[in-house]
Amino acid sequence: MSQSSILDRLSALDTNTVSDALDFLHLKGATYGLQPLWDCPKIVGRASTVQLGPKTDAVPTAHLLAPVIDAVTTNDRVLVVSGGIDGVSCWGDIIANASKEKRIRGTIIDGMSRDIDGSRKIGYPVYGRGVTMISARNRLVQIDSGKPLQMRGVTVNQDDYVIADNCGTVFIPAGRIQEVLDFGERIDSRQCDMVRAVRSGCPVSEVMHDAQFEAIRETVDIPSLVAAPVVSSSKQHANKASTEDQDLVALFADSDTPGVSDALDKLGISGQAFNIMPLTNYEKVVVGPAFTVRYVAASDPPGSVGDFIDDVAPGDVVVIDNGGRTDCTVWGDIMTQYAGLQGIAGTVIDGVCRDVNRAISDDYPLFTAGRWMRTGKDRVQVGGVNEPIGIGKAHVKPRDIVVADANGVVIVPRDRAREVAEVTRTIEKTVAAIREKIAGGSTIAQAREELGYHTLQRKR
């Protein structure tokens, strides 16, 4: 098979599917923590490996990576750089421009970048651990290139295949690319059937049963799920929001998380979910009763991973405690599709999600500790539903009120919801009055002093 054909086939997949294919083949290749450093496009290509290390002398050297960039002669290269140091850059806009001129497809660094706006400006994709402003000069040097190296625990060889997108970065051994592509295409086809089945009204507990995934291993053609009888998508939910649910949700309809957080502070309630952030900067505020789910390590044989969603009422917020695990996901595109169709308000995860492009394009609200492409199947399973759980250091009981927006997530204890809502309204009215006074010419100090800003969230 030609090189261009292999890359075209790989480009048609995403990191989630490729990671699943590697799982089926018992291959290691999915990395955690190498994320897009700007809103860059997916990159697919072959690895040009570069090993960096600390500079230990004062001898002048060529700028790190420059010799490798100059040596590139084909348009299928992705620079794969190992040996970065936290807080120190090993990438910048000058070498991004040089790489763009050499038709290099992108760079994956197990380290940090600076001048990221320069890479964004020229449309050059950069994936890594984060950004900094500190130069590598006199701190890092290039030690070797074209040799095997480690990227977040994965061995990468020169000319291995690379795919990176919004969920992270995956490396595929060059000698196994055909197997990975074959499995990946079968997985992709099967999951498209699953999505169509969900859209047609089939319960997700049937669609996502382990037997459906295991069928991918078969070499024969896999019959379409959609051909099977399905339940109408207009079926009535076994669970519905109660009148009290609706009343409590309405209390926070015009509030946001900063106001609610201040109210919780004033009342001495700990409800802010630490480090649980929106997938994107949502303009709307999500409010709903919590449908709690607790995940545990998978047993042998493994148990269910998503059947619970058939029991979630429209308007509920699914709140998942995966113990903060970042090594496997508990939410993907099929769950997103189904939740959106069923009118579920959003999902909060103390853990990671995948298939983020689907969630963003569907405008389905997701709040998580991160994103990664590796499946949770055979790694975790549902341990309990509608029981007390923990999310980002916040305690959540079933039917507590969840408020989530671009600032994060807060949990309001159900039995204190009316009290919290009342204090929230008082705080938000005061803040609005301060803004009005500032607009009218008052100084911030005057407005704050007059309206008691500094005591708004102080405990009673």
Side-chain angles (χ1 to χ4, degrees):
M1 181 181 297
S2 70
Q3 179 64 31
S4 61
S5 177
I6 290 174
L7 291 177
D8 287 344
R9 289 176 66 189
L10 186 56
S11 294
L13 304 175
D14 60 24
T15 56
N16 308 289
T17 303
V18 175
S19 174
D20 287 354
L22 292 173
D23 279 348
F24 272 109
L25 294 166
H26 304 291
L27 297 174
K28 194 173 182 180
T31 63
Y32 179 71
L34 303 183
Q35 303 286 343
L37 298 186
W38 59 276
D39 190 20
C40 50
K42 174 169 64 178
I43 54 175
V44 171
R46 305 199 71 174
S48 288
T49 59
V50 186
Q51 181 68 52
L52 306 181
K55 185 174 175 61
T56 58
D57 56 43
V59 178
T61 62
H63 191 283
L64 53 86
L65 300 168
V68 176
I69 295 170
D70 287 341
V72 169
T73 58
T74 61
N75 68 351
D76 62 350
R77 295 288 102 183
V78 174
L79 300 181
V80 178
V81 184
S82 182
I85 299 173
D86 280 345
V88 175
S89 170
C90 50
W91 190 261
D93 62 346
I94 296 176
I95 51 176
N97 276 271
S99 298
K100 183 83 170 180
E101 288 299 312
K102 296 288 284 190
R103 299 187 300 166
I104 296 171
R105 296 186 172 208
T107 296
I108 313 291
I109 49 176
D110 191 357
M112 311 191 81
S113 173
R114 73 175 195 166
D115 303 317
I116 197 63
D117 288 340
S119 293
R120 178 189 292 110
K121 184 176 181 180
I122 62 172
Y124 185 83
V126 184
Y127 289 70
R129 298 204 308 258
V131 296
T132 183
M133 80 297 297
I134 300 173
S135 171
R137 190 169 293 107
N138 295 322
R139 294 184 175 95
L140 285 170
V141 294
Q142 181 176 315
I143 295 174
D144 211 342
S145 65
K147 302 292 179 60
L149 49 72
Q150 292 290 305
M151 296 289 286
R152 310 298 282 173
V154 173
T155 300
V156 183
N157 293 283
Q158 179 79 2
D159 295 328
D160 278 351
Y161 289 86
V162 185
I163 179 170
D165 60 22
N166 276 336
C167 286
T169 305
V170 180
F171 300 100
I172 306 110
R176 305 294 295 274
I177 187 62
Q178 185 64 57
E179 295 171 88
V180 173
L181 288 174
D182 289 345
F183 254 105
E185 287 163 352
R186 287 158 61 184
I187 291 168
D188 186 58
S189 175
R190 189 62 170 175
Q191 291 189 333
C192 286
D193 283 346
M194 289 176 167
V195 170
R196 284 193 293 271
V198 165
R199 288 176 177 172
S200 67
C202 187
V204 76
S205 55
E206 297 176 15
V207 174
M208 296 190 70
H209 193 278
D210 283 346
Q212 306 293 356
F213 292 98
E214 287 303 312
I216 295 168
R217 296 186 187 275
E218 302 298 326
T219 57
V220 298
D221 290 336
I222 303 169
S224 172
L225 283 166
V226 182
V230 297
V231 179
S232 167
S233 60
S234 62
K235 69 181 178 70
Q236 295 295 310
H237 268 270
N239 294 325
K240 295 182 181 179
S242 68
T243 300
E244 184 183 38
D245 284 337
Q246 296 171 7
D247 289 345
L248 295 180
V249 167
L251 292 175
F252 297 92
D254 297 321
S255 297
D256 58 19
T257 58
V260 178
S261 175
D262 286 354
L264 292 174
D265 281 350
K266 192 172 188 69
L267 294 169
I269 301 170
S270 179
Q272 299 87 349
F274 177 72
N275 204 35
I276 308 298
M277 299 303 296
L279 192 59
T280 188
N281 287 328
Y282 302 118
E283 294 184 3
K284 64 181 179 181
V285 180
V286 174
V287 185
F291 184 101
T292 63
V293 184
R294 179 176 56 86
Y295 272 82
V296 296
S299 59
D300 187 13
S304 161
V305 292
D307 294 359
F308 66 84
I309 199 168
D310 286 323
D311 298 322
V312 181
D316 281 5
V317 176
V318 177
V319 183
I320 300 175
D321 178 2
N322 195 28
R325 286 184 64 167
T326 56
D327 62 332
C328 62
T329 65
V330 291
W331 192 274
D333 57 351
I334 296 173
M335 299 285 276
T336 293
Q337 175 80 32
Y338 192 78
L341 288 171
Q342 301 306 317
I344 295 170
T347 300
V348 176
I349 307 170
D350 195 356
V352 293
C353 65
R354 72 176 193 172
D355 299 308
V356 297
N357 286 344
R358 175 88 207 196
I360 292 171
S361 65
D362 284 5
D363 197 27
Y364 181 79
L366 273 174
F367 302 82
T368 77
R371 57 180 76 176
W372 200 27
M373 82 299 294
R374 193 162 76 171
T375 182
K377 292 186 291 291
D378 296 341
R379 295 185 171 96
V380 292
Q381 65 189 39
V382 173
V385 298
N386 284 327
E387 61 183 44
I389 60 172
I391 295 289
K393 300 181 181 180
H395 187 66
V396 190
K397 293 180 180 179
R399 316 314 290 170
D400 280 350
I401 303 303
V402 181
V403 184
D405 60 19
N407 301 288
V409 179
V410 291
I411 308 298
V412 180
R414 188 179 183 87
D415 60 354
R416 305 286 298 275
R418 297 184 188 280
E419 183 183 9
V420 172
E422 181 181 353
V423 175
T424 300
R425 284 193 295 272
T426 299
I427 289 172
E428 290 179 337
K429 285 179 182 178
T430 302
V431 171
I434 291 172
R435 289 200 300 268
E436 186 176 344
K437 282 186 171 293
I438 292 171
S442 173
T443 66
I444 291 179
Q446 289 172 336
R448 284 177 167 179
E449 178 66 26
E450 183 177 338
L451 293 169
Y453 172 82
H454 296 290
T455 61
L456 281 178
Q457 81 290 346
R458 191 168 297 162
K459 289 183 181 180
R460 288 177 171 175

